[in-house]
Amino acid sequence: MKLEERIGQTLMIGVAGQEVTPELVALFRETFAGGLILFRRNFHSTEQLRTFLASLEGALQRKLLIAVDHEGGRVIHLKEGITFFPDNLAAGYAGREKYVREQGRIEALELRRLGIDLNLAPTLDVLTEVHSPNIGIRSYGRNPDLTARLGAARIAAMQEAGVSACAKHFPGQGQSPLDAHLGLPVLPTTWEEMKKIHLKPFLAAFQAGVHSVMSSHPVYPNLDPQNIPATFSRKIIHDYLRKELGYRGLILSDDLEMGALRQRGSVAEAAVQTAAAGHDVILICSSAKDQREAFHELKKAYEDGRLDSEELEKSAARIEALKKLRPERFLQGIPLPEKDGKTLAEKIAREGVAKGNPPSRSREENAREVTVIFPRLSEIGVKFALEPELENDAKCVAELLARHGIMPKTTVLLPLDPDEGQVRECLEKVSGGRVLFFCFDAHLFPGNRRLLESLQAKVRGLEVLFLRNPYDHEFLGSGILYAHAFGFRHAQIAAALDVLLGAGAAPHKARA
């Protein structure tokens, strides 16, 4: 390999569009990029995706490393040919290792038929008492031992069935109160705390033979006194992960275009620092301009000796070895969801519901006099894939409630992040009686918090179904019937609604 080819091997890029164009081919030829990460914007249908990947590799006359964030729950980009599994937090609350092992097997078979080599999952960040809005439902929970067991089981099954897994986000950012997409978190966690809590799932993943690990962007001042993002920290990445822990697989960065790194310089400069820290693969997920500039800046850095060419050769060899695990692009078979996938997703969703039933309040007798407040989940479809059932909000909520014999008197559809005017209009439509509120992130969106608090003051018969992160529970007063779905996937909403409206709901137990 020439120097340019070795550098390109370390670049994994995201692109716009759903078909191969001369401009796209030119980008890959200029940067020699060896990896492609797929997003919702790249997917229209299974046939289109398979044609896209085959055509791109055919035009380039070389094999790429194809990756996707297919975590389940909140983070799913592929709309067809896959099972829509619940979020990790629901699986953690269910607590069944056999479920996540089977999930890993099913995911791998489905992804391989679509041409995917590498699933950038699972998230192994452990939650703490600190609210972590970006991780939240993506985590298996607050128990590091449970997270370790579930993560290792899913990884092993996924890789046995033919797709490489990725443990993320090393060394652990479940305690981060700030979304790294938006800014740079500074986490004062000590080495002692990291080893006691956050590193346990990664060590289990390494023992399970995970093929890759993704680093995190936050600054850990007690882990590296240079006060630099972990992405740039040679002490954390090379000295600790690669040398002290002896990890031999691929080390990937998170996306260098995130807000956490933007304030510290250009993407090109970040790429050099990321390579210097000891990463094998550098992710740049959107801008063709940033991708080109990063390639040329890396080339200069290797030519003038700022970066170690021997380390580059080792990285290129690791990447090539991973590509050779799957000589064929597509696993044989029609790209359809596995027949047992939906049943398993429903089991995880049902057993993953956290529920609370106050002992001394009965529902309003007239179930038809109910006002329903439901978020426009269809808005999520711009960034992530949605099941067909969630694409029409009004139809979705009507069908879910009809299963319980409920035909709402009033249904209010609100944006995911309603403004003051929209909240006020919603409250004006609520006269009292029985209200069913599907709450989407009151902790993150002030409008939803105000609505939740106002409804408690105004409505005697309030019932709340929490659809996303677990932190909204702190805004709930006593005596309110509620259920936590720990996610917004259709199976999760249906399961939580069954619990909320069914008889014998047990008190909340925070198992995860």
Side-chain angles (χ1 to χ4, degrees):
M1 272 188 195
K2 296 186 294 186
L3 175 63
E4 292 87 352
E5 293 172 318
R6 289 197 298 273
I7 295 170
Q9 278 280 73
T10 69
L11 290 177
M12 179 172 282
I13 64 175
V15 300
Q18 299 173 353
E19 59 184 31
V20 177
T21 63
E23 293 78 14
L24 180 60
V25 173
L27 173 63
F28 274 86
R29 285 178 175 165
E30 180 180 342
T31 62
F32 295 87
L36 171 67
I37 178 170
L38 298 169
F39 292 95
R40 174 71 186 91
R41 62 182 182 255
N42 304 122
F43 187 91
H44 173 68
S45 68
T46 57
E47 182 180 357
Q48 165 268 321
L49 180 64
R50 284 160 60 102
T51 299
F52 176 69
L53 298 181
S55 298
L56 180 56
E57 288 187 324
L60 297 174
Q61 290 295 295
R62 57 186 173 90
K63 183 175 174 61
L64 299 172
L65 183 64
I66 307 296
V68 68
D69 284 295
H70 192 67
E71 299 178 13
R74 172 183 161 193
V75 184
I76 297 177
H77 293 281
L78 308 173
K79 188 175 176 61
E80 298 174 0
I82 54 93
T83 299
F84 286 87
F85 282 107
D87 297 84
N88 280 358
L89 196 55
Y93 193 85
R96 294 185 182 270
E97 190 175 316
K98 66 178 182 179
Y99 286 177
V100 295
R101 182 181 296 110
E102 180 65 3
Q103 177 185 348
R105 185 190 71 83
I106 289 172
E107 287 171 328
L109 295 175
E110 293 172 345
L111 292 177
R112 282 297 297 127
R113 287 195 287 262
L114 291 170
I116 310 298
D117 299 306
L118 172 60
N119 183 9
L120 300 180
T123 297
L124 297 184
D125 301 299
V126 180
L127 299 182
T128 68
E129 69 280 357
V130 177
H131 295 158
S132 182
N134 181 45
I135 300 302
I137 53 176
R138 300 165 67 193
S139 167
Y140 284 115
R142 294 179 61 172
N143 185 325
D145 296 313
L146 177 66
T147 300
R149 290 199 306 274
L150 297 184
R154 185 175 168 194
I155 287 166
M158 192 187 304
Q159 294 188 164
E160 286 171 7
V163 167
S164 295
C166 180
K168 64 185 186 186
H169 306 82
F170 185 87
Q173 62 174 16
Q175 72 279 41
S176 175
L178 178 63
D179 185 348
H181 291 83
L182 306 177
L184 181 61
V186 178
L187 308 182
T189 320
T190 64
W191 276 115
E192 182 180 0
E193 292 168 327
M194 294 300 296
K195 291 174 181 177
K196 182 179 179 181
I197 300 172
H198 302 285
L199 287 167
K200 279 187 174 182
F202 292 97
L203 297 178
F206 300 159
Q207 289 182 336
V210 68
H211 292 166
S212 68
V213 60
M214 178 182 286
S215 65
S216 62
H217 286 327
V219 174
Y220 300 81
N222 287 316
L223 307 190
D224 187 340
Q226 293 185 80
N227 284 322
I228 57 177
T231 310
F232 301 158
S233 171
R234 190 166 177 86
K235 182 178 179 63
I236 293 173
I237 303 303
H238 178 271
D239 297 349
Y240 185 68
L241 175 56
R242 183 67 80 194
K243 293 300 183 181
E244 186 171 338
L245 294 182
Y247 180 65
R248 296 183 178 182
L250 284 188
I251 302 176
L252 290 79
S253 77
D254 209 337
D255 182 14
L256 299 193
E257 295 177 304
M258 288 185 186
L261 302 185
R262 283 286 191 182
Q263 64 196 61
R264 300 182 71 95
S266 70
V267 171
E269 293 167 337
V272 173
Q273 295 178 73
T274 301
H279 292 83
D280 299 301
V281 177
I282 298 169
L283 264 71
I284 307 174
C285 294
S286 298
S287 168
K289 178 176 179 291
D290 286 337
Q291 292 157 1
R292 287 188 171 95
E293 290 178 354
F295 168 77
H296 291 292
E297 191 63 31
L298 286 166
K299 185 171 181 289
K300 290 179 185 177
Y302 282 111
E303 288 175 336
D304 65 23
R306 282 179 289 154
L307 291 176
D308 189 329
S309 295
E310 289 187 10
E311 289 190 3
L312 174 62
E313 289 181 10
K314 292 177 181 179
S315 291
R318 292 187 192 102
I319 296 165
E320 193 62 25
L322 192 63
K323 289 180 181 180
K324 288 180 178 178
L325 291 178
R326 286 164 289 275
E328 301 296 328
R329 169 51 59 204
F330 303 104
L331 185 69
Q332 288 186 350
I334 300 172
L336 293 172
E338 285 288 293
K339 60 182 177 64
D340 298 330
K342 184 177 180 181
T343 299
L344 177 60
E346 290 172 347
K347 285 181 180 178
I348 296 171
R350 183 169 57 252
E351 297 182 33
V353 177
K355 40 211 179 277
N357 194 1
S360 59
R361 184 182 69 76
S362 61
R363 288 189 173 97
E364 298 293 326
E365 290 186 5
N366 189 350
R368 295 179 183 274
E369 294 297 314
V370 61
T371 298
V372 175
I373 304 170
F374 194 79
R376 291 191 180 276
L377 296 176
S378 55
E379 294 178 8
I380 297 169
V382 175
K383 186 173 183 181
F384 297 113
L386 284 180
E387 308 98 301
E389 297 94 331
L390 297 183
E391 293 178 343
N392 184 321
D393 302 291
K395 182 180 179 183
C396 174
V397 68
E399 290 179 347
L400 285 168
L401 292 172
R403 292 169 41 180
H404 296 272
I406 296 177
M407 290 180 289
K409 176 183 178 182
T410 304
T411 299
V412 182
L413 298 177
L414 282 179
L416 301 180
D417 183 13
D419 60 30
E420 289 188 15
Q422 291 163 332
V423 171
R424 185 170 57 251
E425 289 178 10
C426 176
L427 290 169
E428 289 172 354
K429 296 177 181 178
V430 177
S431 58
R434 185 179 176 194
V435 175
L436 179 56
F437 177 33
F438 293 77
C439 184
F440 190 88
D441 254 347
H443 184 267
L444 189 62
F445 300 131
N448 287 331
R449 177 177 177 179
R450 183 189 164 205
L451 183 56
L452 177 60
E453 292 173 341
S454 298
L455 288 171
Q456 292 179 78
K458 183 176 183 177
V459 177
R460 176 176 176 269
L462 177 64
E463 301 173 25
V464 182
L465 198 158
F466 294 109
L467 288 181
R468 199 175 163 196
N469 286 329
Y471 315 118
D472 292 355
H473 187 266
E474 68 182 47
F475 304 133
L476 198 67
S478 61
I480 307 294
L481 186 65
Y482 71 89
H484 276 286
F486 298 130
F488 54 78
R489 291 297 166 191
H490 188 265
Q492 294 174 269
I493 302 174
L497 199 57
D498 288 346
V499 168
L500 189 68
L501 301 180
H508 173 80
K509 288 197 304 180
R511 291 181 290 185

